[in-house]
Every structure is written in structure tokens, then in C-alpha cells.
Amino acid sequence: MSCEGKLKFLLPNCQSNADLNSASPTLKLQRMESIATPIPKSKGHWLIGDMRALVANPLNYIIAQRPKFGDMFQADTLMHKVVFAAHPDVAKHLLLDNHKNYYKSFDYEILKLVLGEGLIGSDGEFWRKQRRLAQPAFHKKRIEGMFTAMLEESEKMVARWESYKGSGKSLELNTEMTAVTVNIVAKTLFGTHVDTSMEAIGKSIALLNGYISARINNPLMPPPWVPTARNLQFKRDRKTLDDIIYKIIADRRQHPGEHDDLLAMLMSATDEEGGEGMTDLQLRDEILTLFLAGHETSATSLTWMLILLSQNPEALARAKKEATNVLGQGRMQMEDLGKLSYIRRVIDEGLRLYPPAWIVGRKALEDDVIHGFAVPKGYNVIVSTYLIHRHPDFWENPDKFDPDRFLPERVNPEQHKYAYFPFGGGPRMCIGNSFALMEMTILLALILQKFDPRAGKQTWEMNPMVTLRIKGDVPFFV
């Protein structure tokens, strides 16, 4: 690497590769800290640092620490060097400007226990190859072709809800949104050939998701290799899931060309550079990644959006009027999606206030300077999407639910591009963002066309797991 490389600003007097390569890590860090501010560090309990607060509720911990330290601070932890950040400059630097200097942070290693080397957890050249292979399956035209499957599953849910209408009986909203989004992912991933194994897949993924969340939020849990009851159950659940997925792949290998769904696209994809397709293991990892990410984020977001509408009667009335005017009493058509402009703004505002991916983490491969702070090699930088989406320097009345802030005439053209990034950013922006937006629009419009939804209470506690869920059940009336 020459002085024109990424560390030139750290060693401004270097003249050659030899100068750069001969600089010791200590010298690099000293040079870096001479032009950057050390990151302020929380001082927790003398023995366990900030671990108790982080385990109890990591989001509440970040929210509480920010007034003390500002938009970037280091947590006092036992296990890792962790920096929390709440400024869009940091998000842009990590995800776009200097993304090659960062790999996924330590928490993604826990996700890999289930998802393996799928798109969410993989890095480097392997990730780039997998992204190239998967990208055609998420082409705009391909996503539009999934409209009918999404609509049919949404209509089944709405039809089932009819028996609850005006009855005084409540639905459990988390359960309902999870069930319908699981069915949508299953149908688009496996086509019309969805059998009873899908129920087993959904159940296994729910159990594994709970295990992952517990391990991420509690780094003091015994390692997976320790034969505790919970670890042994996790291995059984994972084997059950693997057996089902590998059987589906094997059946498809024996009958190529008989299906037209996402799995068929993934199985037929070949890399333009090397000509290889995906192995069974790679297919397994991508199937589980799509299954988990494809339903968990949408289900969580839809739950929050319906609660927000329930808390804001005027917005609910506007959204319901639009759904009624656009859809009438007929069946939704593909062209109706573009006419549901207010419902789309409700979705944008819901994703702003309660982004399902409430944090994004990266680990520094080399020393760096971010937002004026020195970030040494090996540090994990955890960006809080939640706090950036509510940053008072970038949003007026940031905690207020106001879908019209996304009206074209109200959007500030000078707004920071990373003040709002619910689907991530840079080369690793979520591959399924168009899928999720279409799915959420269909579901919200159909619910509002048929029902007057309302939540059973007004206040809800956030439960920051793999996604930003709600703590406890959500009784819901239609």
C-alpha cells in the first residue's frame, strides 16, 4: 500500500511502502490519536463494567449514555472493545466511505450459529460472490412477480380476521404478523409447493431466533459447546431445521426446471466470473437467511405501524380513507400500490421511529478516524439506527409520529443521506428492501380496507432482540 492508501492521513510524512509497513502499531496509533480525539469511555462497575445494563436492555443503555457522552462513546465491557455511535456521519463512513476497512462485528458471529455464511453474516470476496449470485432473484421485475403470492396470503389472513370483527375478541398482533409474513416468505421462496414442513421450519426458526437473541444480549452465557440444556436444545432445533432444508434441496436437485420461485433462481444462478453455482451448504445458508430476515423484520415493523396508527386516530382515518378510495370493495391490483401514497409514508415513518434493524455493527480491520474520533484496529463500532432516526439535529420533533414529514415538498434536499437508513446502506444495503416494502404496503392496505384496527393499550415497551420487537403480547381488536 502506498502513501496514497487509506492510512496516508495517519502517517502524513511517509514517502514509500517501506515507511508505512515499518511503522509499528504503536506509532500508527500515536499518529492517529495526535490528529483525532480519543473516544470517551463509560466507567461502569469496578468488576463487571456496564454488563448488567447491557444485558438488561442494550437499547435503553445506549439511550441513557448518549446525554453523558454525545454521539460516540466506548462501553465498559468484559468481552469486547465496543464503541456505540449515534450520528449519520459514522453510519456513512462505516457503510460507504470506508466500508472496505470493516467486517461484521462480533454479534454477527452469533447469527452465524444459525445462518452460517449467508448474506447477512459473510464478508469479503465470499460475500461479494454470494451477492452476485443472489442479486438477480431480487430484480425489480422479479419482485413484482411476487405480488400475487403476497396478496393471496394477505387475503387469507384478512378472511380469517372476519370472525373477530366487532366481536370484542382480541387477536395477538405479533403472532398474526409473524404468521402471515412466514407464509409469504414460504410461498415466494418455495412457490406453490409449500407443504407441512413449512410449519416445522417456522417453529424451528422461532426457537433458534430466541436463542440467538438471548446470546447476543447476554455474552456471559456459556459457549455453545458447553453441554447445557439450552445449548443441547439449540443443537437439536438446528438439526431439525437442517434436515428439512437439505431434503428440499435434494428433491429440487432431482427435479430441476420444475419450479419458478426464489429457490429455483438461487439454484440455477451461476457466477459470471467463475461459472460456479451454489453448493448445498451455501443454498442452506441463503435459504435460512432469507427465511429469517424475510419475515422477522416485516412482522416486527408491521406490528409497530399498526400500533402507531392506533395511537394516532387522525392518521388512522387518513390511511383507512386512502385504502378505501383506492381499493374500493374490489381486489387489490398491482397498479394500486403506486396510488397508496399516504400508506407508504406511514411505512416510512414507522421504519424511522422503530427500525427493525435497530443497530448495525462493524469491526475495524485497521486503525481509523471516524467523526473526529480515533478508532483502533479491532474495535467494534455499533451504530444505533434507532437514535440516528430520532437525532434532533436532523429531524424536527423527532419522537413525533408524522408521516407527512416524508411528503416531497417537506423533504429537505440537504438532509444527510444517512439520517434515514432502515435498510442499511452502501454495497451491503438489504437485498430484500423492495420485497419488504411491497409486502408491508399490501398488508396494511388490506387490513385498513376491511377493518378499524386498534391496539388494546396505548404504551408499549421495546424489546431489542435481533430486531426491535415489542415486549409481551399485543392484544389487537378489529
Side-chain angles (χ1 to χ4, degrees):
M1 182 186 294
S2 71
C3 289
E4 298 304 316
K6 64 184 177 184
L7 289 180
K8 179 179 179 181
F9 66 100
L10 300 182
L11 299 169
N13 297 320
C14 77
Q15 300 296 320
S16 66
N17 286 350
D19 292 331
L20 181 58
N21 293 333
S22 64
S24 68
T26 301
L27 176 58
K28 289 181 182 179
L29 187 57
Q30 289 174 346
R31 293 285 185 90
M32 180 173 66
E33 291 181 343
S34 71
I35 61 171
T37 304
I39 302 169
K41 183 176 181 179
S42 170
K43 294 188 182 299
H45 185 273
W46 67 271
L47 178 61
I48 61 172
D50 293 330
M51 293 305 301
R52 182 177 295 171
L54 280 166
V55 169
N57 190 306
L59 179 54
N60 285 347
Y61 166 81
I62 301 170
I63 292 171
Q65 297 294 79
R66 184 185 181 189
K68 305 175 189 175
F69 299 107
D71 287 335
M72 202 162 174
F73 68 92
Q74 182 179 346
D76 186 2
T77 68
L78 301 175
M79 309 290 290
H80 305 279
K81 299 293 187 181
V82 179
V83 174
F84 288 105
H87 196 282
D89 283 351
V90 182
K92 182 172 181 287
H93 186 93
L94 289 181
L95 302 179
L96 181 63
D97 295 342
N98 200 22
H99 68 92
K100 292 183 179 180
N101 185 48
Y102 290 89
Y103 271 16
K104 292 299 185 78
S105 53
F106 67 92
D107 45 321
Y108 288 88
E109 292 300 317
I110 299 172
L111 283 173
K112 286 184 181 182
L113 293 173
V114 174
L115 303 183
E117 294 293 335
L119 285 176
I120 287 179
S122 58
D123 274 307
E125 185 54 39
F126 182 84
W127 170 82
R128 281 185 281 275
K129 177 183 175 182
Q130 288 297 98
R131 179 79 179 213
R132 287 196 303 268
L133 287 169
Q135 190 68 54
F138 291 89
H139 187 275
K140 183 176 183 291
K141 289 294 183 183
R142 188 76 191 179
I143 296 297
E144 290 174 355
M146 301 175 193
F147 172 81
T148 300
M150 292 183 182
L151 180 62
E152 288 174 352
E153 293 304 318
S154 302
E155 288 174 334
K156 289 177 186 177
M157 182 197 72
V158 167
R160 187 166 48 77
W161 282 17
E162 285 289 347
S163 63
Y164 288 82
K165 191 172 184 179
S167 69
K169 296 185 297 182
S170 67
L171 297 152
E172 203 293 294
L173 190 56
N174 277 315
T175 301
E176 293 295 322
M177 292 300 99
T178 298
V180 69
T181 53
V182 163
N183 289 340
I184 287 172
V185 171
K187 196 162 189 176
T188 53
L189 186 57
F190 301 109
T192 57
H193 303 271
V194 177
D195 56 25
T196 54
S197 62
M198 292 306 103
E199 182 178 349
I201 290 176
K203 181 180 178 181
S204 295
I205 285 181
L207 293 171
L208 294 171
N209 188 22
Y211 178 88
I212 290 171
S213 297
R215 185 163 287 285
I216 288 175
N217 288 344
N218 183 8
L220 300 181
M221 280 180 64
W225 53 265
V226 177
T228 64
R230 189 165 195 177
N231 285 342
L232 292 173
Q233 184 60 51
F234 162 74
K235 291 179 180 179
R236 287 192 292 269
D237 293 335
R238 186 174 59 186
K239 184 179 185 305
T240 298
L241 193 58
D242 285 351
D243 289 345
I244 296 171
I245 296 297
Y246 281 125
K247 183 179 184 302
I248 292 172
I249 293 171
D251 290 344
R252 289 293 185 94
R253 296 277 193 208
Q254 293 177 3
H255 303 92
E258 294 185 7
H259 305 273
D260 182 25
D261 47 39
L262 276 176
L263 178 55
M265 288 281 292
L266 293 175
M267 293 186 74
S268 63
T270 55
D271 185 44
E272 293 180 358
E273 296 183 9
E276 307 97 345
M278 292 191 198
T279 65
D280 286 1
L281 176 59
Q282 290 168 339
L283 283 167
R284 176 264 184 210
D285 292 349
E286 297 304 346
I287 287 170
L288 291 185
T289 296
L290 291 174
F291 218 108
L292 179 63
H295 89 270
E296 175 76 11
T297 53
S298 294
T300 300
S301 296
L302 284 162
T303 300
W304 280 115
M305 290 166 197
L306 285 165
I307 285 175
L308 287 166
L309 287 172
S310 182
Q311 292 171 333
N312 294 271
E314 183 180 345
L316 174 60
R318 285 183 64 184
K320 183 171 177 59
K321 182 178 179 180
E322 180 178 79
T324 303
N325 289 343
V326 172
L327 305 181
Q329 297 304 312
R331 194 184 194 206
M332 178 185 282
Q333 304 298 315
M334 181 72 189
E335 55 268 24
D336 292 332
L337 292 175
K339 303 173 186 176
L340 298 166
S341 57
Y342 186 72
I343 288 175
R344 174 56 193 274
R345 294 200 296 277
V346 167
I347 292 171
D348 289 338
E349 181 70 339
L351 291 173
R352 184 187 71 84
L353 287 170
Y354 297 101
W358 58 281
I359 54 173
V360 179
R362 296 291 187 269
K363 185 175 183 177
L365 299 177
E366 299 292 344
D367 298 336
D368 199 1
V369 174
I370 308 178
H371 198 53
F373 291 100
V375 177
K377 174 183 177 180
Y379 272 51
N380 295 274
V381 184
I382 311 297
V383 175
S384 172
T385 314
Y386 177 89
L387 286 180
I388 291 175
H389 282 191
R390 294 171 180 251
H391 200 301
D393 290 351
F394 300 94
W395 299 97
E396 183 180 354
N397 297 321
D399 296 325
K400 180 182 178 182
F401 176 68
D402 179 14
D404 282 342
R405 72 172 75 241
F406 287 95
L407 280 167
E409 59 269 27
R410 283 185 57 184
V411 174
N412 180 2
E414 303 300 319
Q415 173 74 299
H416 198 299
K417 300 302 182 185
Y418 281 77
Y420 179 73
F421 61 115
F423 297 103
R428 300 196 68 141
M429 179 178 284
C430 175
I431 197 172
N433 59 340
S434 297
F435 180 103
L437 289 170
M438 184 165 74
E439 176 185 40
M440 290 187 284
T441 304
I442 291 170
L443 277 162
L444 279 183
L446 261 61
I447 291 169
L448 294 168
Q449 179 194 25
K450 300 289 186 180
F451 306 107
D452 293 300
R454 66 191 188 283
K457 61 180 183 178
Q458 285 292 301
T459 59
W460 306 89
E461 185 178 352
M462 294 180 293
N463 188 16
M465 300 176 72
V466 174
T467 57
L468 186 55
R469 306 190 73 180
I470 296 172
K471 184 164 288 187
D473 292 342
V474 182
F476 202 70
F477 299 88
V478 294

